[in-house]
Amino acid sequence: MKQVTSRIFDELLHVSDRIRSAAGENVLTLSCEPTIAMKWLIPKLGSFQAACPDITLHLVAAGGAVDFRRTRVDIAFRRNDFKWDEAVDALFICKERTGPVVAKGQSMSLTGDELVCLHTSSRPAAWAAWSAISGTTVASKREVTYEHFYLSIQAATAGLGAAIASFLMVQEDISTGQLTAPYGFVEDGSAYYLLSPEPISECDSRQRFANWLSQEMSKAK
């Protein structure tokens, strides 16, 4: 009896695995930097679902290097601020552009005593890099550091200071009038790529997502 029961459970497990495998054929697991996922990607996912209704997108919020085998991530959206394995297929998506943002209606003088520079731990040199690239002098007497970009952007939205942000992170906030970018955005020399452990062009779901992402990115200003 025990052997029969064991065999039945083994068969059920085998069937369950096959069902999960079949159901997962059109499941695409995407890893994306948390703030970009929250502020840019998620608000646009309705467009992806309309364009590719047969693909179920699972979103994982993470940044930096990705271990595709360990995490079982299918594809990752990353900025090239680290070196990935040569075997990884990397598709260029867009150049990074950064700039200072403040709450709408709030004045911002980069050399005034009232300037509060909001920093993030993940890109501590963002203000210095923007200053050097834009040729703009920044003289702040007060600085506040947050762990994540999302927090610094929320602080800027609340009128607590000026934050340096990627244009992807604040596009929605600027379009809705919550933030303004008085100095615009400048290319900082880095770029965003779609990374895959296998050629993107050889996988239908990956290629379709890449096409959609490139189209959406072309609309970003």
Side-chain angles (χ1 to χ4, degrees):
M1 182 66 180
K2 182 177 180 181
Q3 291 179 341
V4 173
T5 302
S6 178
R7 186 170 63 252
I8 291 174
F9 275 111
D10 286 343
E11 291 176 357
L12 287 174
L13 181 60
H14 179 62
V15 171
S16 178
D17 285 342
R18 285 192 299 168
I19 291 174
R20 283 199 297 267
S21 177
E25 287 181 358
N26 280 326
V27 174
L28 188 65
T29 301
L30 167 72
S31 174
C32 182
E33 193 276 335
T35 303
I36 291 179
M38 187 181 303
K39 305 291 284 184
W40 188 84
L41 181 62
I42 290 176
K44 300 179 183 300
L45 286 185
S47 166
F48 177 72
Q49 291 173 351
C52 305
D54 59 312
I55 299 176
T56 299
L57 188 69
H58 286 178
L59 186 59
V60 177
V66 54
D67 186 334
F68 288 101
R69 179 176 297 180
R70 183 181 64 82
T71 61
R72 296 188 179 182
V73 164
D74 296 312
I75 204 163
F77 186 50
R78 291 289 192 273
R79 189 169 67 96
N80 62 340
D81 57 348
F82 65 96
K83 186 175 181 179
W84 49 75
D85 191 279
E86 293 181 357
V88 170
D89 189 37
L91 176 66
F92 170 81
I93 298 297
C94 69
K95 294 180 179 179
E96 171 69 296
R97 292 185 286 126
T98 64
V101 295
V102 293
K104 187 173 182 178
Q106 183 176 352
S107 61
M108 181 173 67
S109 171
L110 295 179
T111 57
D113 291 343
E114 72 281 2
L115 176 66
V116 178
C117 285
L118 307 177
H119 296 266
T120 56
S121 299
S122 56
R123 284 198 227 175
W127 268 104
W130 177 82
S131 176
I133 295 170
S134 65
T136 306
T137 300
V138 179
S140 173
K141 295 187 179 301
R142 186 181 171 204
E143 300 181 345
V144 179
T145 299
Y146 292 89
E147 185 175 358
H148 301 293
F149 267 109
Y150 175 75
L151 298 177
S152 67
I153 292 171
Q154 287 299 104
T157 304
L160 301 180
I164 287 288
S166 164
F167 76 107
L168 291 177
M169 300 176 181
V170 293
Q171 184 183 28
E172 188 72 15
D173 292 323
I174 290 176
S175 65
T176 58
Q178 296 185 71
L179 291 172
T180 61
Y183 295 85
F185 299 91
V186 297
E187 295 178 3
D188 71 355
S190 64
Y192 287 98
Y193 288 79
L194 204 54
L195 307 180
S196 171
E198 60 186 62
I200 292 174
S201 61
E202 294 182 5
C203 177
D204 180 68
S205 59
R206 287 177 171 86
Q207 185 62 64
R208 290 163 67 192
F209 177 78
N211 293 342
W212 173 83
L213 182 63
S214 295
Q215 291 172 2
E216 289 298 321
M217 202 61 68
S218 68
K219 304 174 186 177
K221 303 296 183 181

